[in-house]
Amino acid sequence: MIPSSEHKQNGPRGDPKHQRRARAAAHRAAHLSFGPGAPFAVRQDQALLGAAIGLAGRATRPEIRRIARRASRRVIVYDHLWAQPQLWRDFVIEGRHHLDAALARGAGLILVPSHFGPYRWIAPTLLRLGLRVALLVDPRGRGLVEADVAQRMDQLFPELDWSVFEAIDSGEPAALWQLARALRAGRATLLFADGNSGVDGLAAERGAHHLTFLGQSIRVRPGIGALAAATDAAVLPVFCQDRGAAAPILRFDPPILRRPGEPKKLFTARAIEQLFAVLEREILAQPDRWEEWGIFPRWLEGPPRLPAPPPPPSRPPLPQSLTQPALVGRRIRLLRGDLWLLDLAGRPELVLLAEGRSYPADPALASLIDAAEADLPVLPWLRGQPDQRRALAALHGALAAGLLGLHR
């Protein structure tokens, strides 16, 4: 039985103090995994790039950095919580009537979650609801899912019958046929909306549907809409919300159904567009809880489209020569909001989003960009550099390129 919001568990699994300690430990593990030089540090910069594009004009630079930092750590936090069965907490179900109505049609059910919050617990919850489940996974993920089911699911959820769970490999040529067969057999299929281009996030051009998402033109796989058009199954968006100490929410949105006489091609496009519209809504409502910021830039059709930057603030004329006396009392300021210093390939790069380009950044330039983002005084920065001649040259080049400015 799925609990109401008043439901409370007894024993270790529902012990609030144990829950708080376990979650704190998971967050500490995530923090350590993203420390300087850690392999996961690149993931954070990838998330920063995606958030900088998707939230341009909607969030400040500090907000974008905070969102990327939190979102990139989610996968580590939930991996730790998933590995401990005593931490399982039942979802509070919202929109159950949408699920029941879709099931009552008898034509199949395509459930479309996204990578928000405790989505790992969706499949066990569906099994607990009495549904037979088929999950579409990428070729590398299928082995991990099947191993996880075989090795841990009976221990994590001994009350559930995992024989009615099936993982389908998205890389197989017959994947669409297998999904249709699963629907005809009465399985609820799980297809992630933000997994539209696979685990590597490669935005395939052939057969893609083009739409606007987070202010950008992207390519999207139309498979979910095509499967629904071919089978007349209901498409049901599903979202998770983690509420910290309170029980998480699993919400079923209204189903997307093919209208009488609607051509399959038109319904396929409409279903995909509706799915990404609700996905965009959820991302903007809880941006720090979406795990896929790092893959989002790979969906783009071209260079990002960014809001026009505000005019640069008025400032005193630049000194004729960049001597130390001329720099007294001046501060460094970023003049381009689309400029970010990122480490995406094992070395610092200066990324100019509006141009869709990146340039290697030597240590002096990297330090200069960091100082400019913090609006630091230029002279103390310069004196703290190990090679002041190189640092002064980096400053001169950045000023000449219009990337930075000096102000009092």
Side-chain angles (χ1 to χ4, degrees):
M1 177 179 179
I2 300 299
S4 67
S5 57
E6 290 79 24
H7 175 84
K8 294 183 180 179
Q9 293 177 314
N10 298 315
R13 286 169 70 161
D15 178 17
K17 183 180 292 186
H18 179 76
Q19 291 275 355
R20 288 195 299 269
R21 289 175 177 172
R23 292 179 70 85
H27 281 282
R28 284 195 300 271
H31 177 74
L32 293 174
S33 297
F34 285 84
F40 283 105
V42 172
R43 183 186 180 97
Q44 181 167 303
D45 275 9
Q46 291 171 337
L48 179 57
L49 176 62
I53 294 172
L55 299 176
R58 294 185 174 100
T60 65
R61 290 179 75 92
E63 288 170 342
I64 288 172
R65 287 194 177 279
R66 183 170 61 253
I67 287 166
R69 183 172 62 252
R70 291 177 176 177
S72 61
R73 286 161 167 72
R74 296 287 174 190
V75 64
I76 303 296
V77 171
Y78 288 116
D79 280 350
H80 277 261
L81 299 179
W82 176 250
Q84 303 179 62
Q86 71 275 17
L87 299 181
W88 166 256
R89 295 176 300 165
D90 291 322
F91 282 108
V92 173
I93 301 294
E94 293 185 354
R96 173 66 188 269
H97 60 290
H98 294 311
L99 173 65
D100 293 339
L103 289 170
R105 293 178 68 251
L109 177 61
I110 302 173
L111 292 164
V112 188
S114 302
H115 291 86
F116 282 96
Y119 62 85
R120 292 161 179 78
W121 286 267
I122 292 178
T125 299
L126 297 177
L127 295 179
R128 189 168 288 173
L129 284 170
L131 299 179
R132 303 170 69 220
V133 178
L135 171 65
L136 183 69
V137 293
D138 61 83
R140 282 184 286 177
R142 180 180 181 180
L144 295 174
V145 169
E146 291 180 340
D148 198 42
V149 169
Q151 296 170 13
R152 299 198 308 124
M153 289 303 96
D154 287 339
Q155 299 175 26
L156 285 170
F157 306 100
E159 74 277 16
L160 301 180
D161 178 12
W162 284 90
S163 66
V164 298
F165 175 83
E166 176 186 11
I168 296 175
D169 186 343
S170 65
E172 293 185 0
L176 190 62
W177 175 83
Q178 290 178 340
L179 288 167
R181 183 187 63 178
L183 286 169
R184 288 193 295 269
R187 293 184 187 270
T189 64
L190 273 172
L191 291 82
F192 280 76
D194 49 6
N196 86 83
S197 47
V199 70
D200 292 319
L202 301 177
E205 295 185 32
R206 186 176 179 181
H209 184 72
H210 305 265
L211 52 82
T212 299
F213 179 72
L214 292 174
Q216 306 299 323
S217 179
I218 67 168
R219 291 189 290 261
V220 178
R221 286 181 176 179
I224 295 176
L227 178 63
T231 61
D232 197 34
V235 178
L236 201 65
V238 182
F239 289 97
C240 294
Q241 182 181 351
D242 189 338
R243 300 189 295 170
I249 290 174
L250 180 62
R251 190 187 75 240
F252 297 99
D253 276 7
I256 302 170
L257 305 173
R258 186 180 172 198
R259 298 164 182 152
E262 184 176 15
K264 291 183 178 180
K265 186 174 181 180
L266 291 181
F267 169 72
T268 296
R270 179 170 66 84
I272 290 298
E273 288 168 5
Q274 285 188 233
L275 284 172
F276 274 80
V278 295
L279 175 60
E280 179 179 83
R281 180 195 68 201
E282 291 300 314
I283 290 172
L284 295 179
Q286 44 179 341
D288 65 333
R289 298 182 182 275
W290 188 44
E291 290 185 8
E292 299 302 326
W293 280 118
I295 288 180
F296 167 58
R298 305 182 199 177
W299 301 349
L300 303 184
E301 292 190 281
R305 300 184 305 192
L306 303 176
S314 59
R315 60 186 188 276
L318 297 180
Q320 294 296 318
S321 61
L322 294 180
T323 60
Q324 293 198 20
L327 298 177
V328 171
R330 293 179 179 267
R331 308 176 79 88
I332 321 170
R333 173 183 292 165
L334 281 178
L335 295 184
R336 291 191 56 160
D338 69 328
L339 185 156
W340 295 86
L341 182 67
L342 302 173
D343 186 346
L344 302 174
R347 66 181 187 277
E349 295 179 78
L350 202 62
V351 179
L352 299 175
L353 296 182
E355 299 176 10
R357 296 182 181 181
S358 62
Y359 305 89
D362 63 24
L365 181 57
S367 174
L368 177 60
I369 298 301
D370 284 338
E373 185 159 359
D375 197 32
L376 296 180
V378 63
L379 198 53
W381 168 81
L382 180 61
R383 290 172 175 167
Q385 295 301 301
D387 187 336
Q388 292 191 15
R389 288 186 61 186
R390 183 181 292 272
L392 201 58
L395 175 61
H396 186 276
L399 293 172
L403 305 179
L404 308 179
L406 298 178
H407 70 106
R408 296 191 184 276

